[in-house]
Amino acid sequence: MDQITPPASASWQAELDELAERKRIARQMGGPERVARQHAGGRLTVRERIDQCVDAASFREVGSIAGKATYDETAKVMTDFVPANGVFGRATIDGRPVVIYGDDFTVRGGSADASIKGKYILPEQMAGEYHMPLIRMIEGSGGGGSVKTIETRGHANLPGGFGESSGLWLCAQNMGRVPVVALGLGSVAGLGAARLAASHYSIMVKNTSAIFVAGPPVVERLGETRSKQELGGHQVQVAVGTVDDAVDTEQQAFERTRRFLSYLPSSVWDLPPRQRSWDDPNRRDEHLISIVPKDRHKAYSMRKIIGSVADGDSFFEMGKHFGRAIITGLARLDGWPVAIMAGDPLYGGGTWGAAASRKITRFVDLAQTFHLPMVHLVDCFGFAVGLEAESTATMRHAVTAISAIEQSTIPWCAVIIRNVFGVGGAAHVPHTLTPIRYAWPSGNWGSLPLEGGVEAAYRAEIAAADDPDAKLKQIAQRLEQLRSPFRSAEAFLIEEIIDPRDTRPLLCEFANMAAPLRTPGQSMFTMRP
């Protein structure tokens, strides 16, 4: 039978040609001049960012021709088209599906007047409902309304009014459902800054990124003249914990995004994936036997200990420059992803101030949300003291951190490296779980440190002595003998004192013990921004 060729009028080729032309125009973004301006500022375009972040050729765009078109008098022929200043779709990272959204600063500078709200709300819905990690690339206001919208819409928006949701409720929901990474890749203000903060991990680029509630023009009207970097550059925002980390280039931000996601499940209804490691789980590093000085007044590098006990080169530190008395990050033990928290004796002896406490709370909640077993390398002199501690509400934030620890249900393993004092020290493991706990011979604990505590506790006896200094020294020596960790082990107050060189094998054993206990699903307590 001969094939019958349909007449040209029955074909949809003309419409497909128009679709292709609309897509071509949309891919030009704000046009060659504005793309060149973006590059001159040291920043990639949104489409370049997406292509460099995800697996090659994996991006499937959604809403590719959304924007604002104008037509001739017949209302049939398009005479101009301005794409929406947001690009989103599905892609893969290391073969795993993700949802990715990016602001297009070349179209009206990220202005809300050029945005289509659905293009930053739908990615949130899709990621949460389809259990896929979400990546937000933010540059601009993020669609949060502006003064100009009063004129363009003919009325003023009522924030939070009917039909005026900012979508932040979806951001908050997703914090308990899927991993969310947010990248601040230029000037980010208002709702954009809020969406950056509403993530599990946030990154900005040094010198080209700036994050603020409101930018320099608004602040200047209030009598404070600041440049973008002075107001919201990385040195400001990373130090106070608004943003987790800052990197030198956008490419480094994409690499950190991919690496962060590699430790986490696609959603809370899944489990963190194991990656088989080349590193021997029974490896014993000789330098650990002497890494902690016998002189308690001398510090040591906790990061070297972390690097020694974790799988080689697997430690991914988060928030290094905020709450610096505490080190937090993700790592692998015998290939299993774990969360690692450690006191840093180089900063206030590992005492918990307000910033460190906030950091602990967020990190424990992250581990709880995504079923990551916790390894705590303990060196804590308790809560920070003094006027600064009191004026920053250290007690309030520290008790919140302890509550997060005590409410967690993930497996914990604590290794006491040196100091455990006060209420903060007492929270080195949650008391609602059977502890997996070890101590090094350098362990040093008590309700209060002997240094300074002896004078207070034995004030009368010391004052009555013929030689108060000699009496103080005598009492201190007597107590020093009694506070040996071996005395505590005799009373079974510490389960096991170990050779420091055995730490990695024991932690790998813990990771394998904990793996079958991990339970998918939403946690009662999840991470909040």
Side-chain angles (χ1 to χ4, degrees):
M1 181 181 294
D2 295 335
Q3 290 185 340
I4 299 175
T5 303
S9 60
S11 169
W12 292 95
Q13 188 59 50
E15 287 79 4
L16 291 176
D17 291 343
E18 180 179 352
L19 174 62
E21 177 64 9
R22 286 174 178 259
K23 287 186 175 183
R24 185 192 68 79
I25 295 172
R27 283 194 292 267
Q28 291 181 334
M29 297 169 286
E33 182 178 338
R34 288 176 180 169
V35 168
R37 190 184 308 165
Q38 183 84 353
H39 288 159
R43 304 188 306 279
L44 299 173
T45 66
V46 61
R47 294 186 179 277
E48 291 168 335
R49 287 166 176 166
I50 291 173
D51 287 344
Q52 292 190 28
C53 187
V54 304
D55 294 344
S58 70
F59 180 59
R60 183 176 294 277
E61 188 170 353
V62 178
S64 59
I65 62 171
K68 184 174 179 58
T70 54
Y71 296 86
D72 66 3
E73 63 278 2
T74 68
K76 294 181 179 179
V77 179
M78 186 177 71
T79 59
D80 190 26
F81 179 75
V82 178
N85 59 5
V87 177
F88 102 91
R90 299 181 300 276
T92 62
I93 288 183
D94 295 331
R96 185 167 63 170
V98 300
V99 175
I100 187 165
Y101 169 91
D103 291 325
D104 185 356
F105 197 75
T106 69
V107 178
R108 300 277 297 278
S111 166
D113 301 284
S115 71
I116 295 178
K117 186 177 294 185
K119 288 202 77 173
Y120 64 84
I121 289 182
L122 185 56
E124 302 287 335
Q125 294 173 316
M126 185 179 293
E129 293 176 19
Y130 283 86
H131 301 177
M132 299 163 68
L134 174 64
I135 301 166
R136 304 188 194 112
M137 296 179 171
I138 305 174
E139 183 178 13
S141 66
S146 70
V147 172
K148 194 171 183 179
T149 56
I150 298 176
E151 185 173 17
T152 58
R153 295 182 181 178
H155 59 80
N157 294 331
L158 172 63
F162 181 75
E164 293 298 332
S165 169
S166 66
L168 277 180
W169 66 274
L170 277 169
C171 297
Q173 273 195 339
N174 279 337
M175 293 288 286
R177 301 195 295 186
V178 296
V180 180
V181 182
L183 294 76
L185 300 176
S187 296
V188 179
L191 178 59
R195 293 170 60 239
L196 181 73
S199 63
H200 299 104
Y201 181 60
S202 55
I203 321 168
M204 61 191 300
V205 180
K206 299 175 183 177
N207 303 320
T208 61
S209 298
I211 317 298
F212 18 66
V213 176
V218 175
V219 173
E220 187 172 359
R221 291 296 299 270
L222 300 176
E224 187 175 346
T225 302
R226 301 283 183 184
S227 69
K228 287 184 178 180
Q229 291 300 312
E230 289 172 338
L231 183 62
H234 76 277
Q235 292 181 324
V236 175
Q237 300 295 17
V238 173
V240 298
T242 302
V243 177
D244 293 310
D245 286 318
V247 293
D248 294 322
T249 66
E250 292 191 16
Q251 288 79 5
Q252 289 176 346
F254 307 148
E255 171 57 31
R256 290 190 71 84
T257 296
R258 292 191 291 267
R259 192 171 176 202
F260 173 76
L261 291 175
S262 73
Y263 295 91
L264 299 181
S266 292
S267 75
V268 299
W269 294 279
D270 199 357
L271 293 175
R274 184 184 192 184
Q275 292 185 5
R276 290 290 182 178
S277 173
W278 56 265
D279 200 352
D280 183 1
N282 295 311
R283 172 172 53 78
R284 300 172 82 249
D285 289 350
E286 289 297 320
H287 75 275
L288 292 181
I289 197 173
S290 57
I291 195 168
V292 178
K294 287 196 170 184
D295 184 347
R296 294 196 182 101
H297 294 93
K298 293 182 179 180
Y300 59 92
S301 172
M302 182 63 85
R303 286 182 177 83
K304 288 184 178 179
I305 295 177
I306 296 172
S308 176
V309 301
D311 289 357
D313 298 323
S314 73
F315 183 55
F316 180 85
E317 185 168 359
M318 302 167 58
K320 182 176 182 178
H321 300 288
F322 170 67
R324 302 187 73 174
I326 296 294
I327 300 169
T328 56
L330 308 177
R332 291 186 177 87
L333 291 168
D334 198 17
W336 295 108
V338 297
I340 292 185
M341 182 170 73
D344 192 344
L346 297 176
Y347 292 90
T351 54
W352 294 10
S357 299
R358 287 162 50 203
K359 185 175 180 177
I360 291 168
T361 301
R362 278 178 51 83
F363 188 68
V364 172
D365 287 348
L366 173 69
Q368 175 72 22
T369 299
F370 293 110
H371 325 300
L372 291 165
M374 179 68 73
V375 172
H376 187 188
L377 303 179
V378 185
D379 194 339
C380 177
F381 253 121
F383 296 167
V385 298
L387 179 59
E388 181 180 355
E390 302 300 344
S391 60
T392 54
T394 288
M395 182 59 72
R396 170 69 65 188
H397 292 297
V399 170
T400 300
I402 291 174
S403 298
I405 292 170
E406 296 294 353
Q407 290 170 343
S408 68
T409 58
I410 53 176
W412 277 69
C413 180
V415 181
I416 298 173
I417 306 297
R418 188 186 252 175
N419 296 310
V420 184
F421 289 101
V423 180
H428 60 274
V429 290
H431 293 79
T432 53
L433 302 174
T434 300
I436 303 294
R437 178 171 48 192
Y438 305 100
W440 285 12
S442 50
N444 177 39
W445 46 70
S447 298
L448 291 170
L450 290 187
E451 296 78 9
V454 175
E455 292 94 327
Y458 293 88
R459 180 180 292 112
E461 186 176 344
I462 293 170
D466 294 335
D467 187 343
D469 290 339
K471 189 66 174 178
L472 173 60
K473 185 176 180 180
Q474 179 189 41
I475 296 172
Q477 288 177 341
R478 184 173 75 240
L479 295 177
E480 184 69 35
Q481 293 175 342
L482 293 174
R483 73 171 179 177
S484 163
F486 299 117
R487 295 291 188 108
S488 298
E490 290 173 8
F492 199 51
L493 298 178
I494 177 67
E495 292 77 25
E496 197 67 29
I497 298 175
I498 63 170
D499 182 331
R501 294 168 293 188
D502 290 331
T503 304
R504 172 171 166 75
L506 288 169
L507 289 180
C508 288
E509 180 182 279
F510 162 73
N512 282 283
M513 290 169 54
L517 302 181
R518 302 172 306 161
T519 305
Q522 284 189 297
S523 173
M524 184 178 297
F525 302 98
T526 62
M527 188 174 175
R528 299 186 186 191

